Amino acid sequence: MAQMLRVAVFVAFAAICLLVIWRWQINGWGSFVWLSSAILMTVIRAPYAEQNKSNTISGQYAVSTERVLLALVAIGGTVLPLAHLTTGAFAFANYPLPKWAPLIGIALQAPGFWLFWRSHADLGRNWSVTTELREDHSLTTTGVYSRIRHPMYSAIWLIFTSYPFLIHNWIAGLAALLTFGLMYFIRVPIEEGMMRDQFGEAYTAYCARTGRLLPKLKSKVQ
């Protein structure tokens, strides 16, 4: 049964990809870039999701809220764009951009995907898709985390900001940014509160020397 389900998912995924490719002249070549980025996010994240299935979870925070927020991001970042790119469901909300506009999206995605990959690699076993602590959870302060507390969110902001340049539609292009923005502003205080509860002064000191999304500027010596 599990094997049949995997085959069905793969066939459905392949059919969706082919439909997006088939409609590229309608949607513009930015649709290729969007589809590639959606696949790349999954490819980067999948090994860490599989590896961390064996983690023993010692604490979870705001479970119900997280489920709603993650579902909204999935809808805004994947479902709505795919609905438009495969059927033209939101064609009434299209807007014109120059043919070279997707190049701006690529320029945003290049650092975004490097940071997305590096964030997962630096977190390792400490990464999870939800706000939770594992047994022997450690405070990651090396790599990209030495300067930024939430580099993965920085990466996703960059990637999702590229979508309006790839999908020229007020609904399908902007939904990812809006839903992720909602999740970010609700989830970050919960996540940082969890880390303070777990690591106390060590996390407070870490916050003092890092920025949330960008490296903190060093103050000038008076």
Side-chain angles (χ1 to χ4, degrees), residues 48 117-126 140 142-145:
Y48 298 96
W117 162 73
R118 191 66 254 175
S119 300
H120 283 82
D122 288 342
L123 274 182
R125 295 302 293 266
N126 290 328
T140 302
T142 57
V144 292
Y145 287 87

Side-chain angles (χ1 to χ4, degrees), residues 28-133:
W29 67 273
S31 60
F32 285 129
V33 182
W34 180 88
L35 182 62
S36 299
S37 70
I39 294 172
L40 185 55
M41 288 186 82
T42 302
V43 169
I44 290 173
R45 179 160 280 186
Y48 298 96
E50 184 63 30
Q51 166 191 273
N52 294 354
K53 278 182 180 179
S54 60
N55 283 352
T56 301
I57 305 306
S58 60
Q60 291 182 304
Y61 289 67
V63 175
S64 298
T65 301
E66 286 237 305
R67 286 175 179 168
V68 173
L69 293 174
L70 290 169
L72 288 174
V73 173
I75 292 169
T78 304
V79 176
L80 294 182
L82 280 177
H84 177 66
L85 293 177
T86 56
T87 70
F90 309 122
F92 63 89
N94 285 347
Y95 53 80
L97 281 182
K99 289 185 178 180
W100 50 262
L103 293 174
I104 300 174
I106 293 173
L108 289 166
Q109 287 196 358
F113 273 111
W114 179 85
L115 194 55
F116 190 71
W117 162 73
R118 191 66 254 175
S119 300
H120 283 82
D122 288 342
L123 274 182
R125 295 302 293 266
N126 290 328
W127 175 77
S128 65
V129 72
T130 57
T131 305
E132 61 187 31
L133 294 166

